[in-house]
Every structure is written in C-alpha cells, then in structure tokens.
Amino acid sequence: MTAVRSEPLTGTLPHQAAALSFPPGFTWGAATAAYQIEGAAAEDGRTPSIWDTFSRTPGRVRNGDTGDIAADHYHRFRDDVALMADLGLDAYRFSVSWPRVQPTGRGPAVERGLDFYRALADELLEKGITPVATLYHWDLPQELEDAGGWPARDTAERFADYTALVAEALGDRIKIWTTFNEPWCSAFLGYGSGVHAPGRTEPDAALRAAHHLNLAHGRAIGVLRSTVPASARTSITLNLHQVRPLTPSAGDLEAARRIDAVGNRIFTGPVLHGAYPADLLEDTAHLVDWDDLVRDGDLAEISRPVDLLGINYYTPTLVSAPDPSATAGEASRNDAHGKSDHSPWPGSEQVVFHLPPGETTAMGWAIDDSGLYDLLRDTAREYPGLPLMVTENGAAFDDYVNPEGAVNDPERIAYLHGHLSAVHRAIADGVDVRGYFLWSLMDNFEWAHGYGRRFGAVYVDYATQRRIPKSSAHWYADVIRRHGLPAADGRA
C-alpha cells in the first residue's frame, strides 16, 4: 500500500457495548492448508513437496515434526465436513496439494489426487457449504525446486499447466478460486530468511521468486477465465503488512516506506496497478536487474483483473530507522516471521523491527485489532472498487484438554471478538468486506513450529486424531447463527 501510517502505534480498538449485526450476504468461513492437515504424504501417487523435504532436514522444524500424518484429513474429511456443518459455516477455504495432483510438477494429473478434491467439494456442497479453493499454499513439488524453484521463470509456466488441470476437474464445483496464499512468505521466507521451505538464503533469488509468483498468478487468472464458468470469482490472498513507524520521525517514516515496498507493494503494485513501484526498484537495484527480470508483456499478464482480494492479518508491523550504534550487518528483527541470521527484507536489512506493546499470543505476536481495521481501510482507499475478504485471522494459544474433557480458550474468543469488531467497524465506514475466514478450522502442523502451536477452533489430539470443538468453536457457531457479534459482556 502506498500510504504508510505516520502516527505511532495506538493500541486496540475499544470494544463495543452492544451487539453488532453484519450485512446480508456476509460470508462466515474457516480455512486450512493441505500440507498442514491432510497427511497421507505418500499415498495415491503423491510425491514430496518442498515442505516434506524441509521438515525432514534436521533442525528445520521443531521436534523434527513433519506433515506425514498431520490431522489425517485425507482419510477423515467427511467427519471434518460434518464438524463444519455443525458450526454452521457458509464456506470452507482449503488448498489443493500440487504434488498430490501433479506429482512431478509436469505432465498429466493423477486422477486419484483429483478425486480427493472432487469428493471433498461434493461433501461440502451436499452440506450447503461453499468450497473455496486455493491453488497454492506453499507445497511446491520437490522436482520443480530441484529445477530452480520459484526463482526460475519456468516454474510460472508449470503453475499455469497445473492450474488448468485443477480448473478442468473442479470448475463445476468451485465458486471462488484463489491463486496464491501469501506469496510474500513463499518468496521471502522460503528464499530470503530460509525459515520456510525450501530454506534458501539468497536475497536476489527471493526477489526473482516474487516476480515469478506474480507472473504465475497472472498466468493462472488467464487459465481460470478461459476454463471455469463466468460466474466463478477469482482472487489472490496477500498477507499485507500493516506497517507502522515507531515514531513520526523522518528516519522511522523512511523505514516504514521501505518495508511497505518489499512487504506489500511488491505484490499489490504489479497485480493491482500493473507496475512495480519505483522506490522498490531503487531499493533493490543492487540485487537484481529488474529490466532483465521483467519481460515485455509480464506486467499486462500479472495485472489481469481479479474479483476479490483476500487479506490475511494477525499482528501489526512496527519499525524504526537503523540503529547507528549497531554492528554492521546487525538489525533487530522482531518482525513475527521467525528467527534467522538472514533477513527476509532484501534491500532493507538494516530496518529495526519492534514488538508492539500489549498482550501477545503463543506465537509472540502482539494482539492489536486496530491493525486489521487500519489495513482494511487503507487497502480500500488504495484500491477502490475491489471487494475484500478476510481470508485468515486467528491466534495460537496454549490450549489443553481439561479434566472434564473440554477445551476452554477464552483468550481466543476475546481475540476473535476484537478482530470481528474491527471488521464490522470497517464495513460501517464503507469498506466492502464480503466475508471472514477463521484461521484455523482445526489444530494442525504449524510449519517450522511443528505441532507446538495450536491455532484451531477445533482441538486435535494427534495421538488419537480425536476432534474436540473448543469453546471458541461454540462461540463462533453462535456468531454465525446470529449473523453478528454478541454484546461485549457476552464474548466468553
């Protein structure tokens, strides 16, 4: 986003005293990702993704956890859809596993893989739940990474072919298509800081990956438009950083501008405006030759119109100017994106990140629902006329089963109440927000944190695969039934 907030962090929004109703047609959903819940990592033709390889690399994932079994959703999806129906979900956002559908990233589809998603979509539709499909949530086939991965231009072409396979198989079932989930993470955590798969630490490769992810998005939108019914809606989901300067000083404002460029506008610029921002190109010119990287026709392809913009939000990003007393190469990076000796902010490695004040989640992320309001408002101002959808929002806490066999999570209820209040305020102020997807439906493999972090509204006992709806699940079901929030004193 081109406008960066100039005032210091202000804290959370005041919670309302009265109940709040949402507009007719507002969608209530929950979201998951294939590698985090499916399991069945070597069944029915599926081959390794970069996350299979990464999770097997010693020291990469907490406790050596892998997604081999995860929440065993591949075998239990019908029971899980029944849980969704009990919650009253309007929609369910899931991702398609590329190596399950097209194991090598090339050639024909494996029908057994597509059959799983056909059956999942049919089960959802039978229960009155709209299936929302994300084509890519970080699980690149390992063979494509071996051939260069996202820094290689050919991967964008392979993604277009994969999109065609999925669209032809599921086009009659899926009403909302998302090309990518959080391409920033794929590019900059995967190839910059190395805290995500494939674990590379190459700033130039991270920037090339970002461009090829953008290009793959554009190619995929073209494929979808030529394949699926005209009534289907297309989107991309971005984890836009709500960047805030620590103070209104010129140095802190410059730090915020730099992070806004490489954290947000590297995607929104070409996707929604048809151009990379000039300041981003200047900040990173010493790392890549953009004139060589961006070929004729790329920007026109990348900027194919989308029907919705998905926004994922968890916590704001608080930054300041470099500390002149710091040792060369050092910068405080409390940016909520994992610990690494390598920065995911190429060209702006010296910007200092701060933990915003106040309560935090089990991830160490600041709880600040005003950040979601500001993000929705600012995005709507920058891209007027583009409907928005909150495609991920939620929190991890240290949940446990009590002696009565229940899981009580009042902290999560408070978090969701505050953030849904922020969504309601944005809508009241004229922002076109079409829906909200809770992250996550169930506890799952939380990437480099393994199974040590629980985001779900449904508790998963990984030893038995038993599902236990937490108190937040019952609360969310009530929100859906009433199509709005209870009064503040009824949050818990």
Side-chain angles (χ1 to χ4, degrees):
M1 292 143 41
T2 55
V4 177
R5 191 182 167 98
S6 61
E7 65 268 25
L9 187 68
T10 56
T12 59
L13 296 170
H15 292 301
Q16 89 287 350
L20 298 176
S21 295
F22 279 72
F26 186 86
T27 296
W28 300 98
T32 65
Y35 189 72
Q36 292 183 272
I37 68 165
E38 283 183 3
E43 293 187 34
D44 293 337
R46 185 188 180 278
T47 56
S49 73
I50 54 175
W51 268 98
D52 293 277
T53 302
F54 186 82
S55 64
R56 284 173 169 75
T57 304
R60 292 295 200 179
V61 175
R62 181 179 177 179
N63 297 325
D65 292 339
T66 74
D68 286 1
I69 300 174
D72 197 33
H73 176 71
Y74 189 77
H75 299 114
R76 301 169 186 265
F77 73 91
R78 288 187 172 84
D79 291 339
D80 291 338
V81 172
L83 271 174
M84 299 177 212
D86 289 343
L87 289 175
L89 295 183
D90 297 323
Y92 171 56
R93 177 175 172 254
F94 62 94
S95 76
V96 178
S97 169
W98 190 347
R100 193 177 297 287
V101 167
Q102 192 189 35
T104 66
R106 295 180 174 83
V110 171
E111 289 300 320
R112 289 169 295 175
L114 288 172
D115 284 345
F116 168 72
Y117 297 106
R118 291 184 180 108
L120 173 61
D122 289 344
E123 193 76 13
L124 290 165
L125 291 168
E126 184 179 324
K127 296 292 194 297
I129 301 169
T130 298
V132 179
T134 299
L135 288 165
Y136 187 80
H137 198 133
W138 307 352
D139 48 358
L140 184 71
Q142 182 61 44
E143 287 198 25
L144 291 185
E145 174 58 28
D146 294 341
W150 285 112
R153 186 180 179 92
D154 185 63
T155 305
E157 308 304 329
R158 303 287 68 74
F159 186 75
D161 293 343
Y162 155 71
T163 298
L165 296 175
V166 180
E168 288 164 5
L170 301 178
D172 60 339
R173 295 167 168 88
I174 306 300
K175 305 303 180 186
I176 301 176
W177 293 86
T178 299
T179 54
F180 286 93
N181 180 80
E182 300 185 354
W184 186 89
C185 294
S186 294
F188 296 106
L189 301 185
Y191 296 93
S193 67
V195 300
H196 279 191
R200 290 163 59 178
T201 54
E202 306 158 37
D204 57 332
L207 292 164
R208 293 198 306 273
H211 176 63
H212 296 143
L213 285 156
N214 284 333
L215 182 60
H217 158 76
R219 294 266 203 269
I221 293 296
V223 170
L224 290 169
R225 281 294 167 224
S226 66
T227 307
V228 303
S231 59
R233 290 177 287 172
T234 60
S235 66
I236 185 172
T237 282
L238 303 175
N239 57 319
L240 296 176
H241 298 78
Q242 181 56 32
V243 184
R244 294 169 167 176
L246 184 66
T247 74
S249 69
D252 289 359
L253 287 170
E254 168 63 7
R257 179 204 64 75
R258 297 183 76 97
I259 298 307
D260 181 51
V262 75
N264 296 329
R265 290 182 285 120
I266 193 169
F267 295 104
T268 58
V271 171
L272 300 177
H273 280 322
Y276 284 101
D279 60 328
L280 167 76
L281 302 185
E282 183 177 349
D283 292 344
T284 57
H286 62 293
L287 294 170
V288 294
D289 181 347
W290 287 94
D291 290 335
D292 179 66
L293 179 62
V294 182
R295 299 182 185 177
D296 289 347
D298 282 4
L299 292 170
E301 187 118 42
I302 292 168
S303 60
R304 292 176 185 271
V306 293
D307 301 304
L308 294 166
L309 176 63
I311 290 179
N312 293 353
Y313 172 85
Y314 293 93
T315 190
T317 300
L318 185 61
V319 300
S320 67
D323 181 356
S325 65
T327 303
E330 289 185 356
S332 174
R333 200 166 57 74
N334 207 332
D335 62 1
H337 290 304
K339 294 180 180 179
S340 172
D341 293 334
H342 302 271
S343 173
W345 308 100
S348 296
E349 295 88 349
Q350 297 307 308
V351 169
V352 178
F353 291 80
H354 304 266
L355 178 66
E359 297 180 358
T360 61
T361 69
M363 296 288 287
W365 298 346
I367 299 173
D368 188 337
D369 47 59
S370 73
L372 178 55
Y373 170 81
D374 291 343
L375 184 57
L376 293 170
R377 177 202 62 193
D378 294 348
T379 304
R381 288 176 179 172
E382 182 69 20
Y383 310 106
L386 179 61
L388 308 179
M389 191 168 279
V390 178
T391 39
E392 284 185 25
N393 177 242
F397 292 102
D398 295 323
D399 306 318
Y400 61 93
V401 181
N402 67 22
E404 289 73 41
V407 181
N408 296 320
D409 55 343
E411 302 92 347
R412 184 171 288 104
I413 291 173
Y415 179 100
L416 296 176
H417 192 285
H419 287 77
L420 280 168
S421 297
V423 174
H424 186 277
R425 181 186 172 196
I427 293 171
D429 288 347
V431 179
D432 186 5
V433 185
R434 300 288 178 89
Y436 176 93
F437 287 76
L438 169 69
W439 184 270
S440 174
L441 173 69
M442 67 181 79
D443 295 335
N444 53 48
F445 176 84
E446 184 48 40
W447 308 116
H449 295 278
Y451 296 101
R453 295 290 182 268
R454 293 181 178 272
F455 274 88
V458 175
Y459 185 94
V460 177
D461 181 334
Y462 297 112
T464 65
Q465 292 298 337
R466 181 187 176 200
R467 273 71 159 143
I468 305 173
K470 304 174 188 179
S471 56
S472 60
H474 299 296
W475 179 88
Y476 191 50
D478 180 65
V479 167
I480 295 170
R481 279 193 297 272
R482 68 171 73 220
H483 201 64
L485 289 174
D489 58 4
R491 279 186 287 167

